[in-house]
Amino acid sequence: MASNRGVVYLGPGKVEVRSIDYPKMVNPQGKPIEHGVILKVVTTNICGSDQHMVRGRTTAPTGLVLGHEITGEVIEKGKDVEYLNIGDLVTVPFNVACGRCRTCREQQTGVCLNVNSARAGGAFGYVDMGGWTGGQAEYVLVPYADFNLIRFPNKEKALEKIQDLTMLSDILPTGFHGAVCAGVGVGSSVYVAGAGPVGLAAAASAQLLGAAVVMIGDMNPERLRHAKSVGFEPIDLTKSDKLEELIEAVVGVPEVDCSVDAVGFEARGHGAQHVTEAPATVLNSLMAITRPGGAIGIPGLYVTEDPGAKEEGAKQGNLRMRFGLGWAKSHRLYTGQTPVLRYNRQLMMAILHGRLPIAKIVNATVISLDEAPRGYHEFDTGVARKFVLDPHGMVKKAA
C-alpha cells in the first residue's frame, strides 16, 4: 500500500509530521464514494485558523490531520468524476461542498448542508467541520471533485506562479470576500483590522476593487513594516486607545467608508490595553469608525466554543459587543466562512494575468513538509510571512 505523511495536532502547542493513512474513496463515515479524486499535494499552507487550534483555543481533538489550504495534482479519480483528468493541476476550496443542496445552489458553499452531520458547513482538517482529513500531507482525498475543483488552464504556467495560486484555496478569496462584503468600490476609504495574511489579502483586494486609501492596523511592528512595504498605510494600534484618532490622522476624518475584521476572536485591546485579550474589541472599534450606512466585512474567525478564553462568556462564543452602536448607525455586518467558489476563478485570472502578486504581498515562504512544526512555531510568534509547505519538492523544482 502507498504511504502518506501529514501534519498531526497532538495537543496545545504541539504538531508533528507523522505517517497517516493513504486516502481512500470513502467519506468520514466510511461510506464509499465515486465523486472524489485523490490528489498529490503540490502546495498546502499554514493558516491563522490552524493556529487557533494548535494554541488550544478550540475543541479540536488530538490526532487531527491539519490543513485546509490545498493545491494538488489529480492522480486518481472516482468513476463519477467526468470533467477532471489524471495529471490536472487544481486548486481546492477549503470549503467541502456537495453542489447539490439548497445553500450550494445559492453559492453559499461555506454552509453546505450535506457534508457535516453536526452543523452546516464542512472543511478539510478542521474542528467540527465534518471529519474530512486535512491536506497538510503528501496525498489527500477531495470529494465532489467536479463541483469543487478548478483546473488551471495551463499546468506549466500555473507552476511558474504556484506561490501566488496556492493562495486561492483560502486566504485570497477570504480577504476578497471581506472587502466585497464591506462594500469596497472605486474611491473608498478602507480600514482592515489585522496585518496577517488574510488582512493583507483583504487590503490587496480593496486596492483591486478600486479603493482610494487602504489602512491596515496591527500591533506587531514587523507586520506593520511589511504592510507599508507592499503599499498599504500602516496603523500602529499601540499608539492610542481610540482608533478614531489614528484614522483621522491619515484621512482627516475619524471614519472610513468600509472596514474589514481579519483578526477574529483572539483579538486584543488597543493602546495601553494591547496586551489584554478582548475578543469583541475589533468589532466594537469597527462600528465606531465605519460611517453611518456603511458595512463591515468579518472574515476573521469566531468560534462557538473557546476553552482558552479569559472571559467566561467568551468560552461559549458570547461577546461584549456594542451592537446598539451598529444598529444606530445602520451598519451591515457580514460574517461566516467564505464561499470560495464564488470568487476563486476570477481571482485566478487576475493572478495569471499579472494583476495580483499576492505571494509578494503576504510574503510567501516555502518550506518542506518536515519543516511544518518550525513553520507553526515561527508563525505563532507573529512573523510577517505566509508559510507554504512543499511536500514533494515541486515548488522548489518549478522555481
Side-chain angles (χ1 to χ4, degrees), residues 82-100:
E82 297 183 60
Y83 305 113
L84 294 168
N85 297 308
I86 304 300
D88 284 347
L89 185 64
V90 296
T91 181
V92 184
F94 78 87
N95 319 113
V96 180
C98 73
R100 298 157 166 82

Side-chain angles (χ1 to χ4, degrees), residues 204-288:
S205 299
Q207 286 188 335
L208 190 68
L209 290 166
V213 57
V214 180
M215 295 164 280
I216 188 165
D218 208 292
M219 293 172 280
N220 182 313
E222 182 182 349
R223 287 186 168 185
L224 289 169
R225 285 193 296 270
H226 176 72
K228 184 175 182 178
S229 74
V230 291
F232 310 123
E233 185 69 39
I235 303 293
D236 187 347
L237 300 176
T238 66
K239 300 298 185 182
S240 175
D241 295 330
K242 293 185 177 182
L243 181 57
E244 301 97 309
E245 295 177 349
L246 300 173
I247 295 297
E248 186 172 16
V250 177
V251 295
V253 292
E255 66 178 23
V256 294
D257 297 318
C258 317
S259 59
V260 179
D261 173 4
V263 177
F265 73 101
E266 285 195 70
R268 296 182 181 275
H270 297 166
Q273 303 299 315
H274 72 275
V275 297
T276 304
E277 193 165 292
T281 192
V282 171
L283 296 173
N284 289 333
S285 66
L286 296 189
M287 286 188 286

Side-chain angles (χ1 to χ4, degrees), residues 100-162:
R100 298 157 166 82
C101 69
R102 174 181 178 175
T103 51
C104 282
R105 288 172 182 269
E106 294 173 349
Q107 289 195 318
Q108 295 283 355
T109 52
V111 282
C112 174
L113 303 177
N114 289 329
V115 295
N116 184 351
S117 59
R119 63 173 69 174
F124 298 96
Y126 212 84
V127 59
D128 296 330
M129 287 288 103
W132 300 93
T133 300
Q136 287 175 13
E138 294 172 328
Y139 303 94
V140 69
L141 167 72
V142 177
Y144 305 103
D146 277 331
F147 177 69
N148 285 294
L149 302 183
I150 293 181
R151 179 180 61 85
F152 296 125
N154 184 305
K155 187 174 183 179
E156 183 176 327
K157 290 183 178 179
L159 285 170
E160 292 174 1
K161 288 184 173 287
I162 193 64

Side-chain angles (χ1 to χ4, degrees), residues 178-382:
V180 168
C181 290
V184 177
V186 174
S188 298
S189 59
V190 181
Y191 174 76
V192 178
V198 170
L200 291 165
S205 299
Q207 286 188 335
L208 190 68
L209 290 166
V213 57
V214 180
M215 295 164 280
I216 188 165
D218 208 292
M219 293 172 280
N220 182 313
E222 182 182 349
R223 287 186 168 185
L224 289 169
R225 285 193 296 270
H226 176 72
K228 184 175 182 178
S229 74
V230 291
F232 310 123
E233 185 69 39
I235 303 293
D236 187 347
L237 300 176
T238 66
K239 300 298 185 182
S240 175
D241 295 330
K242 293 185 177 182
L243 181 57
E244 301 97 309
E245 295 177 349
L246 300 173
I247 295 297
E248 186 172 16
V250 177
V251 295
V253 292
E255 66 178 23
V256 294
D257 297 318
C258 317
S259 59
V260 179
D261 173 4
V263 177
F265 73 101
E266 285 195 70
R268 296 182 181 275
H270 297 166
Q273 303 299 315
H274 72 275
V275 297
T276 304
E277 193 165 292
T281 192
V282 171
L283 296 173
N284 289 333
S285 66
L286 296 189
M287 286 188 286
I289 65 164
T290 302
R291 68 171 179 83
I296 301 170
I298 311 172
L301 176 67
Y302 288 86
V303 294
T304 54
E305 293 183 75
D306 175 11
K310 304 298 187 294
E311 297 179 4
E312 196 61 33
K315 292 180 180 180
Q316 285 78 46
N318 297 322
L319 306 180
R320 296 180 178 180
M321 279 181 63
R322 291 189 66 196
F323 190 74
L325 176 62
W327 188 93
K329 297 174 76 174
S330 294
H331 284 157
R332 302 181 305 282
L333 281 70
Y334 294 85
T335 70
Q337 289 188 59
T338 297
V340 171
L341 278 176
R342 190 182 299 175
Y343 307 110
N344 61 352
R345 184 175 295 278
Q346 67 233 55
L347 293 171
M348 174 185 73
M349 297 306 292
I351 288 171
L352 291 175
H353 289 277
R355 293 289 308 283
L356 193 52
I358 189 64
K360 176 183 177 182
I361 290 168
V362 301
N363 197 15
T365 303
V366 180
I367 59 177
S368 69
L369 184 66
D370 288 320
E371 293 175 296
R374 175 178 67 81
Y376 269 96
H377 173 73
E378 290 188 14
F379 192 31
D380 199 43
T381 66

